[in-house]
Amino acid sequence: MLNTLNEELRQLDIQIATQSAVFQDGNPALITLKEKQNNLRPLIEQESELYIQTRRSEAYKLLRSLELNQQQLENSRRILERQRQQLPILIREYTEIQRRLGIANESLNRFL
């Protein structure tokens, strides 16, 4: 709608410029065109404000969504970092369990 209003205003500007070249300011046709122009500008401002508010609202929602995604990613990063720090401990435990299993297998084989 905003584009339509802007196009209409542009057409009125052209008509006013054309009429101004031919007629004086007091001409009824010129007065009517200027009244239309003056009536159209508040509508354009209103539509522009509505468009800006809508875009601002969409931008805010997108920003909020991105902030939430960032928080989730940060939480995931912390969890992965904790798991990474536990890895050496788990590897040592696994190695110790493997060593004990080897000893237990040797003992079992000797027993058998």
Side-chain angles (χ1 to χ4, degrees), residues 21-57:
V22 176
F23 300 109
Q24 294 182 357
D25 285 339
N27 183 279
L30 195 55
I31 291 171
T32 303
L33 289 173
K34 286 184 178 182
E35 286 175 357
K36 285 182 182 179
Q37 182 185 45
N38 289 336
N39 292 335
L40 196 55
R41 288 185 185 194
L43 290 174
I44 290 173
E45 289 175 15
Q46 184 180 6
E47 285 296 317
S48 295
E49 186 60 34
L50 180 62
Y51 176 79
I52 289 169
Q53 287 175 356
T54 302
R55 298 299 288 176
R56 194 176 285 155
S57 175

Side-chain angles (χ1 to χ4, degrees), residues 19-109:
Q19 294 291 330
S20 292
V22 176
F23 300 109
Q24 294 182 357
D25 285 339
N27 183 279
L30 195 55
I31 291 171
T32 303
L33 289 173
K34 286 184 178 182
E35 286 175 357
K36 285 182 182 179
Q37 182 185 45
N38 289 336
N39 292 335
L40 196 55
R41 288 185 185 194
L43 290 174
I44 290 173
E45 289 175 15
Q46 184 180 6
E47 285 296 317
S48 295
E49 186 60 34
L50 180 62
Y51 176 79
I52 289 169
Q53 287 175 356
T54 302
R55 298 299 288 176
R56 194 176 285 155
S57 175
E58 290 170 358
Y60 176 77
K61 289 176 186 176
L62 180 60
L63 179 63
R64 188 69 189 124
S65 174
L66 290 172
E67 287 171 346
L68 290 173
N69 286 345
Q70 183 181 13
Q71 289 174 359
Q72 290 172 345
L73 286 171
E74 183 59 28
N75 288 339
S76 296
R77 188 198 62 77
R78 279 192 222 114
I79 290 169
L80 287 171
E81 179 61 25
R82 272 182 285 199
Q83 289 175 347
R84 186 194 65 79
Q85 289 174 353
Q86 291 175 353
L87 229 91
I89 296 167
L90 293 173
I91 290 172
R92 280 193 299 272
E93 288 176 359
Y94 177 78
T95 303
E96 178 61 24
I97 291 171
Q98 287 291 86
R99 187 185 68 76
R100 287 182 189 170
L101 179 62
I103 291 171
N105 279 336
E106 287 176 17
S107 295
L108 178 62
N109 287 336

